[in-house]
C-alpha cells in the first residue's frame, strides 16, 4: 500500500436538494494519471474538490498517504501544500506580476525563502518559454499562457499531486494544445495527476486510468481501452457514442 497516495472510502457529498456524491470509493497511486469523465452534473468536479477539501464531505473517509484528512484535527493547510489545484479559470492574482504569483505561496508557507522561490519561478518560466513575461500582469497574457502559469505556480510548491478541474475548457481551441503539451510532459515525468475533463480525446491519449461517473457514482473505472473503447456498460457506451 506504500504507493497509494489517495484512498477514498464511501465518500458522500450532500447539497440542499441534491446528493452530489453517493458512496464513491477509489484509490489513486503514486505516479498515476487518472482522468475523471462523465456527463455534466455527474459529480466529477465535486469529487475533485472533496479530494482537496475545498468541499467538506458529508460522509465517508479520505486518506492521503495513510493519514485521514477528513479527521477533525488534521492539518489541512499542510496537506494542501502537497496537493495543489489547477482551476478552470486560472485564479491568478490580477494585482501581482507573474513572478510574484508564482513565488507567493512557497514564501508564505515557508517552503522556500524568497531567493529560492525566485530561482524556482525563473526555472519554471523558462521551461514553458514565458520567462520574458515574468514582470507582466495576468491581464497581459493569453488564456493559454495564464493556464500554463497556473500550472507552474502549482509546481513551484513541489507537490505530490496535481488536481486539474477542466483545465482547458475556458480556452480558445488554438490555445488548448499548449496547455495539453505541458500536462503531457508532467504525466511522462511521473507526476501524480487527477484530471476532470470533457476532452475525451486527451483522456484517451494520456490517462493511465479513466473513471466514468454518473449521478454521483463511479459507474466504471479502468484503462482507457476498457472504459472509453470497450466498455460493455450500456450507460457508458451511450455516453461515448455521443461524444466521440
Amino acid at each position: 500500500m506504500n504507493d497509494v497516495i489517495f484512498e477514498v472510502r464511501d465518500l458522500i457529498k450532500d447539497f440542499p436538494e441534491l446528493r452530489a456524491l453517493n458512496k464513491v470509493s477509489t484509490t489513486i497511486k503514486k505516479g498515476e494519471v487518472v482522468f475523471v469523465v462523465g456527463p455534466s452534473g455527474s459529480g466529477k468536479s465535486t469529487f475533485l474538490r472533496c479530494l482537496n477539501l475545498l468541499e467538506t464531505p458529508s460522509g465517508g473517509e479520505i486518506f492521503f498517504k495513510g493519514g485521514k484528512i477528513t479527521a477533525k484535527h488534521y492539518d489541512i493547510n499542510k496537506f494542501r501544500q502537497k496537493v495543489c489545484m489547477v482551476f478552470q479559470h486560472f485564479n491568478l492574482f490580477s494585482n501581482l506580476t507573474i513572478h510574484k504569483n508564482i513565488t507567493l505561496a512557497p514564501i508564505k508557507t515557508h517552503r522556500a525563502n524568497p531567493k529560492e522561490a525566485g530561482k524556482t519561478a525563473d526555472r519554471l518560466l523558462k521551461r514553458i518559454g514565458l520567462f520574458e513575461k515574468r514582470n507582466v500582469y495576468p491581464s497581459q497574457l493569453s488564456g493559454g499562457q495564464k493556464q500554463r502559469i497556473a500550472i507552474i505556480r502549482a509546481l513551484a510548491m513541489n507537490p505530490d499531486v496535481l488536481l486539474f478541474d477542466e483545465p482547458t475548457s475556458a480556452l480558445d481551441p488554438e490555445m488548448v494544445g499548449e496547455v495539453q503539451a505541458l500536462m503531457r510532459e508532467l504525466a511522462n515525468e511521473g507526476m501524480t495527476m487527477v484530471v476532470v475533463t470533457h476532452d475525451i480525446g486527451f483522456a484517451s491519449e494520456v490517462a493511465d486510468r479513466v473513471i466514468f461517473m454518473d449521478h454521483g457514482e463511479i459507474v466504471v473505472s479502468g484503462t482507457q481501452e476498457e472504459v472509453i473503447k470497450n466498455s460493455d456498460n450500456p450507460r457508458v457506451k451511450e455516453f461515448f457514442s455521443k461524444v466521440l
Side-chain angles (χ1 to χ4, degrees):
M1 294 289 287
N2 288 340
D3 63 344
V4 173
I5 295 284
F6 273 111
E7 182 180 1
V8 182
R9 300 179 186 170
D10 294 326
L11 181 64
I12 293 171
K13 178 59 183 177
D14 289 326
F15 294 107
E17 310 296 327
L18 173 69
R19 172 155 288 189
L21 297 174
N22 185 35
K23 294 188 175 181
V24 169
S25 297
T26 192
T27 58
I28 295 162
K29 296 182 178 179
K30 182 181 173 71
E32 193 174 27
V33 180
V34 179
F35 275 67
V36 186
V37 302
S40 297
S42 60
K44 306 183 299 294
S45 290
T46 301
F47 169 67
L48 195 74
R49 291 173 68 85
C50 282
L51 281 184
N52 205 25
L53 295 183
L54 292 175
E55 295 286 356
T56 303
S58 306
E61 300 171 312
I62 304 175
F63 295 84
F64 174 72
K65 291 186 166 183
K68 185 176 175 181
I69 69 171
T70 45
K72 193 171 183 180
H73 300 295
Y74 192 84
D75 188 341
I76 301 303
N77 290 328
K78 192 170 183 181
F79 158 72
R80 286 191 181 136
Q81 293 175 25
K82 288 293 187 178
V83 180
C84 293
M85 189 100 161
V86 178
F87 297 90
Q88 179 179 353
H89 294 289
F90 328 128
N91 286 23
L92 298 175
F93 294 104
S94 60
N95 61 323
L96 298 180
T97 65
I98 296 308
H99 198 262
K100 287 185 177 178
N101 262 281
I102 298 167
T103 59
L104 180 65
I107 293 171
K108 285 277 189 184
T109 58
H110 305 293
R111 298 206 21 111
N113 62 43
K115 185 176 180 180
E116 293 167 341
K119 284 184 177 180
T120 298
D122 287 347
R123 173 176 56 80
L124 291 168
L125 284 166
K126 288 174 183 175
R127 171 177 177 165
I128 63 171
L130 291 176
F131 179 73
E132 74 282 2
K133 303 288 189 182
R134 66 197 299 274
N135 292 318
V136 307
Y137 291 84
S139 62
Q140 298 169 267
L141 301 181
S142 70
Q145 289 172 331
K146 289 177 187 176
Q147 193 59 292
R148 285 186 289 153
I149 295 298
I151 294 171
I152 66 166
R153 177 180 62 176
L155 287 177
M157 290 293 288
N158 191 29
D160 291 328
V161 184
L162 285 179
L163 307 178
F164 294 85
D165 190 9
E166 296 282 3
T168 59
S169 64
L171 302 179
D172 292 333
E174 67 268 22
M175 297 176 184
V176 169
E178 61 195 41
V179 174
Q180 289 182 341
L182 178 56
M183 293 176 67
R184 197 178 291 112
E185 280 181 27
L186 296 174
N188 291 336
E189 291 168 5
M191 173 62 73
T192 307
M193 298 162 60
V194 185
V195 185
V196 166
T197 187
H198 283 102
D199 190 335
I200 307 303
F202 188 51
S204 298
E205 178 190 349
V206 178
D208 296 316
R209 182 159 56 96
V210 176
I211 293 173
F212 180 88
M213 295 187 68
D214 195 21
H215 293 103
E217 299 180 351
I218 293 178
V219 178
V220 65
S221 174
T223 67
Q224 60 92 6
E225 287 280 342
E226 293 167 337
V227 176
I228 297 175
K229 296 182 179 177
N230 297 308
S231 177
D232 56 5
N233 182 286
R235 178 67 184 101
V236 177
K237 288 174 72 173
E238 176 194 23
F239 175 80
F240 288 118
S241 71
K242 293 177 179 177
V243 300
L244 290 175

